[in-house]
C-alpha cells in the first residue's frame, strides 16, 4: 500500500529530513513510526500526504507514483489519505458536524449522504451527541476524536496520524489507539507516528524506528490479524 | 500534443477518485449553496460590506451619471439639429413684393418645411426698437437692411450633408445676396460632446480599474482571514477550484451590489435635478425632460459591475491562493 524506495528528502540549506529510506507497508497493516523528535517522522508522513515531495527516490501509495503526480492531482490523492494531527487542525468557527463533513463536501457528495456518513463517523468516535457543538467547547481528547472522525469519514484506504496522543493522558491515549485498531479491523492501512514507546510496545504491531533521518529498525515481526 | 497529455492526465485523475464525477444537479446545488453562503458571510459583517459596496457604488455612479448627462445633452442637440435653418439675405434691389414671391415659391419646394419672411421694413422696425440707434437711423434716407428669408428644411434635409446641398441650391437664386446655414454651432456642439464622451470613457476606465483594485484588496484580506480554513481544505483534498469558488462569488456579489448602489445614487441625483431642469426648459419654451437610466443601460451597468467584481476577486485569488499551502 505504501512503498518507499531509497527516499531522500533534502530541505533548502542542505538539511536532510530523510536519508535513503526504504520500506513497504502492505494493505491492511497497522504500523507505528517512532524515533526522537527531529528524526524525520513528520517528514515521512508529509511525503505520503504530498505536503512535501521527495528529493530523490520513489514514494508509491496505493499503486500511484507520487513523484509523478501533477499539482492538479494532489487534491484527489489527499482524499484517499486521511490525516490526523497532534494539534487537531479543526476549524473553530464551525460545528463538530461541519468539521467532520468537510472531506465529503469537498468531494461533492449529496446532502443526505453527507448527513448519514458524518453521523456514522461521529457515532464511531462516540461524539454523536456533540455534533452541534463548537470544537472549542470540547476537551482535548474529544477534539482529537473529531479530527479522527474527519480523517475517516470519507473511508480512505490509508490513514496517517502524527502524534495523535501527544497531548493526551494514558487512558485517553489507549482509547484513541483502540479506535485505530477498530479501523484497522475493517481493512484500513494505518501509519501512526508517536514517541510514546510505552503505549506501542504493548500493542504488538510492526514498528519503524527512525534515527537521524535514517530507518534504524523495522520490526516486521507481527502480522496483523 | 498538449491536448492529449491533458486528456490522459484527466483520465488518471478520474481513476484516483471515482467519486469526483459529479452529477449536474448536485453541482448546481453546490454552486447555489456556495453563492448563498458567501452572501450570508457578507451579511454577517454588515458595516464593512456596506462600506465596500458604497465605495464601489460611488466609483461606478460617477461615470454612469456623466454618461447619462451626456446622452441627455445629445438628445437636446438632436432637437436643435431639426431646427437648423438657412438664412437667405436678399439683395438691396429686391423689392418686398419680389421677396414675397420667392418665399411663396420656396414654400412649394419639397425639401422645405417652412419659410419665414422678414421684410426690409419689418427688419428696420425691429432694429430701431432693439438697437437704440433710432436717431441715427432716422437720419438715413434709405433703408440699409435687406429682406430676409428664414428657410427651415424638412427633417430629412436638416442633416449636415443634405442641408449643404439645399444651401447650394438656394444660393443660385438670383435675388439672394448671401445665404448662411446656421449649422456651424451645432457641429461645434457635436465636437464638444465627442470630447466629453471620450473623457467619460477615460474616467470610466480609470474608475473601473479602481473597482477591480477595491474588490481585489477586499478579497485579499478575506483570504488572509480565512487562512486556516484554506489550509485545512487543501489538506483534506479540496481542489483549487473548490477553494476559489466562495471568493469568486464574494467578488461577484460586491460588484452586483456596488452596481445597484450606483444605480440608486444616479437615480436619486436625477430626481434632485429633475425640477430645476424642467424649470429651465420651461424658460426656453422647451418640453425637454431629463431621461433616466433605461433598462438596457441598467443591465449593462449591473452586468459590468458584476464582471468587474468577479475579475477583481479572480486576480486576488489567483495571486494569493497559491501562497497558502499546508505544512
Amino acid at each position: 500500500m505504501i512503498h518507499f524506495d531509497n527516499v531522500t528528502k533534502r530541505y533548502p540549506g542542505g538539511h536532510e529530513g530523510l536519508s535513503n529510506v526504504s520500506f513497504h507497508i502492505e494493505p491492511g497493516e497497522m504500523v507505528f513510526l517512532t524515533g526522537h523528535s527531529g528524526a524525520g517522522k513528520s517528514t515521512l508522513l508529509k511525503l505520503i500526504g504530498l505536503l512535501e515531495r521527495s528529493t530523490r527516490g520513489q514514494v508509491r501509495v496505493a499503486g500511484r507514483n507520487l513523484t509523478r503526480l501533477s499539482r492538479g492531482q494532489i487534491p484527489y490523492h489527499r482524499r484517499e489519505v486521511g490525516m490526523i494531527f497532534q494539534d487537531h487542525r479543526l476549524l473553530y468557527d464551525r460545528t463538530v458536524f461541519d468539521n467532520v463533513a468537510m472531506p465529503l463536501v469537498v468531494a461533492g457528495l449529496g446532502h443526505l449522504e453527507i448527513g448519514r456518513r458524518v453521523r456514522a463517523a461521529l457515532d464511531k468516535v462516540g461524539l454523536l451527541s456533540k455534533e452541534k457543538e463548537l470544537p472549542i467547547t470540547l476537551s482535548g481528547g474529544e477534539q482529537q476524536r473529531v479530527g479522527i472522525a474527519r480523517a475517516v469519514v470519507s473511508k480512505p484506504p490509508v490513514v496517517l496520524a502524527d502524534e495523535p496522543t501527544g497531548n493526551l493522558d494514558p487512558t485517553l491515549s489507549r482509547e484513541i489507539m483502540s479506535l485505530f485498531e477498530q479501523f484497522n479491523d475493517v481493512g484500513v492501512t494505518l501509519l501512526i507516528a508517536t514517541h510514546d514507546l510505552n503505549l506501542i510496545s504493548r500493542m504488538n504491531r510492526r514498528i519503524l524506528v527512525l534515527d537521524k533521518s535514517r530507518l534504524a529498525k523495522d520490526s516486521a515481526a507481527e502480522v496483523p490479524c | 500534443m498538449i491536448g492529449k497529455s491533458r486528456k490522459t492526465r484527466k483520465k488518471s485523475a478520474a481513476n484516483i477518485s471515482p467519486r469526483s464525477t459529479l452529477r449536474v444537479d448536485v453541482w448546481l446545488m453546490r454552486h447555489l449553496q456556495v453563492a448563498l453562503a458567501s452572501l450570508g458571510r457578507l451579511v454577517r459583517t454588515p458595516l464593512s460590506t456596506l462600506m465596500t459596496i458604497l465605495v464601489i457604488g460611488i466609483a461606478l455612479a460617477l461615470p454612469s451619471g456623466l454618461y447619462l448627462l451626456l446622452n441627455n445633452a445629445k438628445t437636446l442637440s438632436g432637437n436643435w439639429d431639426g431646427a437648423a435653418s438657412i438664412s437667405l439675405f436678399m439683395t438691396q434691389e429686391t423689392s418686398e413684393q419680389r421677396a414675397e414671391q420667392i418665399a411663396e415659391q420656396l414654400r412649394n419646394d419639397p425639401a422645405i418645411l417652412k419659410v419665414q419672411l422678414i421684410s426690409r421694413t419689418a427688419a428696420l422696425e425691429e432694429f430701431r426698437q432693439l438697437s437704440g440707434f433710432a436717431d441715427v437711423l432716422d437720419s438715413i434716407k434709405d433703408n440699409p437692411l435687406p429682406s430676409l428669408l428664414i428657410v427651415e428644411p424638412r427633417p430629412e434635409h436638416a442633416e449636415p450633408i443634405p442641408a449643404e446641398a439645399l444651401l447650394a441650391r438656394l444660393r443660385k437664386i438670383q435675388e439672394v445676396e448671401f445665404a448662411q446655414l446656421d449649422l456651424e454651432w451645432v457641429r461645434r456642439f457635436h465636437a464638444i460632446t465627442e470630447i466629453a464622451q471620450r473623457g467619460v470613457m477615460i474616467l470610466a476606465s480609470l474608475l473601473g480599474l479602481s473597482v477591480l483594485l477595491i474588490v481585489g484588496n477586499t478579497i485579499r484580506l478575506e483570504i488572509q482571514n480565512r487562512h486556516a480554513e484554506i489550509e485545512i481544505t487543501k489538506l483534506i483534498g479540496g481542489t483549487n477550484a473548490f477553494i476559489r469558488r466562495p471568493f469568486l462569488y464574494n467578488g461577484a456579489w460586491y460588484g452586483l451590489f456596488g452596481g445597484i448602489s450606483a444605480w440608486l445614487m444616479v437615480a436619486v441625483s436625477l430626481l434632485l435635478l429633475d425640477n430645476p431642469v424642467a424649470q429651465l426648459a420651461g424658460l426656453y419654451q422647451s418640453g425637454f425632460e431629463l431621461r433616466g437610466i433605461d433598462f438596457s443601460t441598467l443591465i449593462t451597468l449591473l452586468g459590468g459591475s458584476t464582471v468587474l467584481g468577479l475579475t477583481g476577486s479572480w486576480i486576488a485569488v489567483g495571486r494569493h491562493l497559491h501562497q497558502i499551502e499546508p505544512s
Side-chain angles (χ1 to χ4, degrees):
Chain A
M1 194 55 130
I2 301 174
H3 294 255
F4 271 56
D5 289 323
N6 302 313
V7 174
T8 295
K9 172 67 188 177
R10 182 177 291 127
Y11 288 103
H15 169 69
E16 279 196 354
L18 279 184
S19 304
N20 215 18
V21 171
S22 300
F23 64 88
H24 295 182
I25 294 176
E26 297 300 319
E29 264 194 281
M30 177 166 169
V31 179
F32 288 104
L33 179 65
T34 188
H36 296 293
S37 48
K41 301 192 294 289
S42 296
T43 304
L44 196 149
L45 294 184
K46 281 177 183 173
L47 289 177
I48 299 172
L50 267 182
L51 302 181
E52 274 163 17
R53 284 182 187 265
S54 61
T55 316
R56 266 205 315 276
Q58 211 178 62
V59 180
R60 275 180 297 144
V61 176
R64 279 193 299 280
N65 186 346
L66 299 194
T67 359
R68 288 209 215 118
L69 224 53
S70 72
R71 269 180 88 96
Q73 286 174 300
I74 291 176
Y76 300 99
H77 167 67
R78 287 193 187 140
R79 289 179 198 179
E80 305 282 289
V81 179
M83 284 183 265
I84 297 160
F85 307 90
Q86 182 175 6
D87 56 358
H88 324 313
R89 302 245 182 137
L90 302 177
L91 286 175
Y92 291 94
D93 58 346
R94 299 194 185 184
T95 62
V96 167
F97 182 97
D98 288 344
N99 266 286
V100 176
M102 278 181 77
L104 304 179
V105 173
V106 158
L109 262 67
H111 187 68
L112 293 173
E113 181 72 2
I114 289 177
R116 203 176 56 75
R117 288 219 207 167
V118 169
R119 293 204 173 88
L122 283 174
D123 192 29
K124 188 87 193 155
V125 299
L127 288 174
L128 193 51
S129 59
K130 311 235 170 178
E131 60 166 294
K132 292 203 175 66
E133 293 189 29
L134 291 175
I136 205 76
T137 63
L138 305 182
S139 70
E142 286 172 330
Q143 287 189 28
Q144 189 55 281
R145 271 145 60 195
V146 175
I148 291 169
R150 186 183 65 191
V152 301
V153 72
S154 57
K155 299 186 179 146
V158 178
V159 170
L160 311 175
D162 193 1
E163 303 282 0
T165 60
N167 297 323
L168 304 180
D169 64 41
T171 324
L172 285 173
S173 298
R174 271 197 297 281
E175 275 178 35
I176 298 283
M177 284 305 163
S178 88
L179 258 180
F180 286 150
E181 286 186 308
Q182 287 172 40
F183 295 136
N184 185 234
D185 285 345
V186 294
V188 178
T189 308
L190 285 123
L191 180 57
I192 301 156
T194 177
H195 56 247
D196 192 345
L197 294 171
N198 253 333
L199 190 69
I200 59 175
S201 61
R202 273 180 278 126
M203 291 187 66
N204 259 355
R205 299 284 183 166
R206 181 177 167 193
I207 299 171
L208 300 174
V209 184
L210 284 173
D211 185 33
K212 291 179 188 133
S213 310
R214 294 181 178 277
L215 190 60
K217 193 180 156 205
D218 182 356
S219 75
E222 270 73 33
V223 182
C225 40
Chain B
M1 278 308 278
I2 292 167
K4 198 180 171 193
S5 74
R6 271 190 97 149
K7 215 173 196 177
T8 50
R9 195 180 273 179
K10 236 182 197 164
K11 217 179 204 173
S12 55
N15 281 343
I16 289 178
S17 171
R19 266 171 281 151
S20 68
T21 47
L22 283 172
R23 281 163 55 205
V24 174
D25 54 339
V26 174
W27 183 82
L28 274 178
M29 197 63 182
R30 286 266 160 256
H31 266 269
L32 192 66
Q33 276 177 357
V34 174
L36 290 178
S38 75
L39 187 62
R41 207 172 267 279
L42 292 182
V43 172
R44 254 172 282 155
T45 53
L47 201 69
S48 64
T49 302
L50 197 68
M51 287 206 301
T52 309
I53 287 173
L54 282 181
V55 172
I56 296 169
I58 291 167
L60 291 175
L62 216 60
S64 7
L66 285 174
Y67 166 79
L68 210 62
L69 286 181
L70 203 64
N71 253 10
N72 274 305
K74 273 183 165 173
T75 49
L76 200 60
S77 81
N79 293 341
W80 290 332
D81 271 349
S85 57
I86 299 171
S87 306
L88 299 177
F89 296 93
M90 302 288 121
T91 51
Q92 282 288 349
E93 296 78 46
T94 312
S95 65
E96 288 191 9
Q97 288 80 1
R98 180 68 193 129
E100 185 59 55
Q101 276 172 8
I102 293 169
E104 205 48 50
Q105 275 170 20
L106 290 179
R107 280 185 189 115
N108 294 326
D109 192 311
I112 289 166
L113 185 68
K114 227 161 71 180
V115 179
Q116 193 192 351
L117 169 69
I118 297 168
S119 68
R120 303 178 64 182
T121 0
L124 186 67
E125 198 50 45
E126 195 179 334
F127 189 64
R128 195 194 295 277
Q129 277 173 17
L130 295 177
S131 68
F133 289 121
D135 297 343
V136 183
L137 287 173
D138 281 342
S139 66
I140 300 173
K141 256 188 265 162
D142 292 327
N143 181 353
L145 298 176
S147 293
L148 172 63
L149 294 181
I150 298 172
V151 174
E152 195 177 312
R154 287 186 184 280
E156 59 270 27
H157 292 274
E159 299 291 318
I161 293 167
E164 293 280 6
L166 180 62
L167 177 69
R169 198 145 61 78
L170 294 178
R171 274 198 181 122
K172 290 197 183 112
I173 299 172
Q174 215 178 2
E175 287 84 356
V176 172
E177 166 110 74
F178 178 65
Q180 189 187 13
L181 179 60
D182 296 337
L183 211 59
E184 218 39 51
W185 70 273
V186 173
R187 285 211 187 117
R188 286 186 195 127
F189 186 79
H190 269 303
I192 290 170
T193 52
E194 206 67 32
I195 293 171
Q197 202 163 17
R198 232 7 106 76
V200 169
M201 256 168 60
I202 293 169
L203 192 71
S205 315
L206 285 176
L207 289 170
L209 190 67
S210 79
V211 170
L212 278 186
L213 295 176
I214 294 162
V215 174
N217 199 43
T218 312
I219 297 296
R220 185 180 63 83
L221 289 176
E222 180 78 11
I223 289 172
Q224 276 173 7
N225 285 341
R226 292 168 71 181
H227 192 283
E229 185 185 335
I230 292 169
E231 201 177 306
I232 290 171
T233 309
K234 283 195 173 182
L235 267 181
I236 58 167
T239 57
N240 278 334
F242 178 88
I243 297 168
R244 206 184 290 137
R245 213 168 288 150
F247 295 105
L248 295 184
Y249 272 108
N250 248 4
W253 285 126
Y254 276 131
L256 178 63
F257 288 124
I260 291 173
S261 76
W263 173 48
L264 290 177
M265 286 177 207
V266 171
V268 169
S269 310
L270 280 183
L271 220 59
L272 292 175
L273 285 176
D274 207 28
N275 247 337
V277 166
Q279 271 177 18
L280 184 66
L283 290 177
Y284 282 94
Q285 274 107 43
S286 153
F288 176 75
E289 256 179 50
L290 267 184
R291 282 199 317 188
I293 297 183
D294 57 11
F295 186 69
S296 71
T297 315
L298 178 63
I299 293 301
T300 312
L301 171 64
L302 296 186
S305 66
T306 308
V307 168
L308 275 179
L310 194 62
T311 313
S313 67
W314 194 285
I315 293 168
V317 166
R319 276 181 54 87
H320 300 286
L321 218 53
H322 282 294
Q323 291 166 4
I324 302 176
E325 279 297 332
S327 55

